Amino acid sequence: MDLIVTLGVNGLATGMLIFLLAAGLTLIFGLMSVLNFAHGGLFIWGAYAGVWIYTATNSFILAIILAILTGLVLGLVTERLIIRPVYGNHIQQILITLGFMLVLQELIKVVFGPDQKAVDPPAWLASSFQIGDVILIKYRLFIIIVGLLLFFTIFFLLKKTRIGLIVRAGVMNREMVQTLGINIRFVFMAVFMVGAALAALSGVLHAPYSGVIYAEMGLEFSILAFIVVVIGGMGSFTGSLFAALLVGLAQAFMAYYVPALSLAVNMLIMTIVLIFRPQGLFKVKG
Amino acid sequence: MNLITRMMTKSNMIYLGIAALLLILPFFLTGRSVQFMITQIFIFAIFAMSYDLLLGYTGIISFGHAMFFGIGAYTTAIFMDRFDANILGLVLAIGVAVLFAAIVSFIVGILTLRLKSHFYAMLTLAFAGLFLVAAEKWRDLTKGNDGFTFRIPEILRDSTVMYIVSLVCLVLIFFGLRRLTNSPFGRVLVAIRENESRTESLGYKVLHYKVLVSVVAGVVASFAGVLYMLSLRFVNTSVFHTDVTIDVLLMTIIGGVGTLVGPIIGAALIELAHHWISGLANVHWIFERWIILYGTVYILVVIFFPLGIVGTIRAKLSGRSKSNVLEKKRAS
């Protein structure tokens, strides 16, 4: 029992991090039908920028703030320079964002050095609780809480505010929203920046969780984010949460029970979903 | 006779002339490392041409093309390791590699090619990932990440022979694929790239064409993997890595999509970059991070020259000749 709880908490924590990464990607696709393979580059830049200031000042809060700022700025640059010239052409989008991904990943090595970096959780999150036989590591609970808070905040923003209404309407029918006099490009830029900031936040939270960061995580997490978005249904916000938790839990349990398959489990889930339900687990709704 | 005169067009003469020059090159360039490098270029040129069949001609993006390369590579390695390293074993290995690649590409194609473009990209990526994991975990057969060396037929161990074999294969596959892309079948592929729904409404079974071309691309890529193994005589899991797919993507894009010469030139450029730019690392740090240079060039190519080197030159040339024709018409 305690084993299942421990694995469950691990899986939920991983899932929440993946959700933060995938949430932006799915909205970006839903809103402007843009396939962004550079998303993992924003993730890894958030991680490195955050860890840099974290080791310099020892303040994890500052690290989170800097990561979010990095995400916002990089998101703006990416949308302006990389995405804008290739609107409406999926093949060019895939090609160009993949190239940008490689550039972002190599630039990490130039700015921060090519070696991998070890990261410890901050002191106030380093210990753990013990309830009965179950040991709960504080940092994992912290990630789960942050993930849930952000999910409900964004969910509220999407469902209850005017901005959310515009975004949801844009996901359903971009042309119609434009006809009603709303500058959808501007809305999209804002969504892209927020999505990039979420990816960067996911990166900096992931650093102490896995204990080590390296530049190649960029491409790995780009691919992971896409897998999750495909499983959840491209454009579906709620779908990305469920798919992320599914992938996180599957990874945690597989790593313990069938370690040989743990590397392949994401691919297996996606293959099964693509074969039986190619539109993803969740349909895009307004 | 008819066939010979048809073969003797101007462009064919040029290609055959270049091939003949390359054929006598190894008798002047006897250094093993140089011969090995050019052999690698030939092999990757074959691989990149197969990729361009999908990306350039049909408009399908694959993120797992390394999978077919790896299938060819591992099949050869395992056959050469387990059975006698003679020509008969090699022929058998090629047969199995080609068949295996055909089956896998057929399955992947039939599952996702009816959906939007990114689903094929994702499923090939997933399958390539599964093959990578399988190669790492099935240690009895593959010896995992460490890989293994193996013996190959006596005659192919000479680097000059391997050079000539690769060149001959490149030339044969080049003309074969040119025949294919110039055929009515190839024209339908281009039509699918340009406007899929219109091609469909003209009565072509788009899915059949797409699956068939993905099988051809898979088979050719697998054959490139076979040649790669014969030149390297060592296999490990790196043949299944995403890096291999990204390399072949860069080769195709930079050289020129939708042409067969483009991927060959792209393969030469990228391979030369691997060998020489990384040697310049102590001159300036940027050469150590040459992917930044290539990535930037690649992004600029996608935005400004979506046709790549060869495509852009060709468009310039044909544009000029067309405007000449127009001027002549106007003059008369």
Side-chain angles (χ1 to χ4, degrees), chain B residues 149-310:
Chain B
T149 56
F150 51 89
R151 296 154 58 79
I152 61 168
E154 192 73 49
I155 185 164
L156 292 172
R157 276 174 219 167
D158 183 55
S159 67
T160 311
V161 174
M162 200 51 223
Y163 175 101
I164 292 171
V165 168
S166 308
L167 177 62
V168 170
C169 289
L170 173 64
V171 171
L172 288 178
I173 290 176
F174 173 77
F175 282 107
L177 290 182
R178 217 166 72 116
R179 182 81 187 79
L180 183 81
T181 51
N182 285 334
S183 70
F185 175 78
R187 297 292 163 204
V188 177
L189 295 183
V190 175
I192 293 172
R193 178 191 72 195
E194 293 299 323
N195 193 333
E196 188 168 336
S197 44
R198 184 177 291 180
T199 315
E200 184 126 44
S201 54
L202 282 172
Y204 293 103
K205 290 218 162 56
V206 169
L207 182 64
H208 291 189
Y209 284 88
K210 281 164 113 182
V211 171
L212 198 55
V213 76
S214 77
V215 169
V216 173
V219 164
V220 175
S222 168
F223 186 70
V226 172
L227 287 177
Y228 184 64
M229 276 305 108
L230 292 179
S231 75
L232 212 60
R233 282 177 257 164
F234 166 76
V235 70
N236 74 354
T237 51
S238 66
V239 289
F240 279 124
H241 267 288
T242 321
D243 299 1
V244 177
T245 306
I246 288 176
D247 266 357
V248 78
L249 182 70
L250 290 178
M251 289 170 188
T252 313
I253 295 279
I254 290 178
V257 289
T259 65
L260 288 173
V261 188
I264 299 177
I265 291 173
L269 285 175
I270 300 276
E271 280 294 309
L272 290 179
H274 273 307
H275 284 270
W276 284 338
I277 296 187
S278 41
L280 290 173
N282 41 11
V283 180
H284 192 275
W285 59 264
I286 194 80
F287 291 115
E288 201 177 342
R289 304 266 85 89
W290 63 275
I291 290 189
I292 295 183
L293 290 177
Y294 261 85
T296 314
V297 169
Y298 164 89
I299 291 172
L300 294 176
V301 166
V302 172
I303 295 182
F304 296 108
F305 304 101
L307 298 173
I309 296 173
V310 174

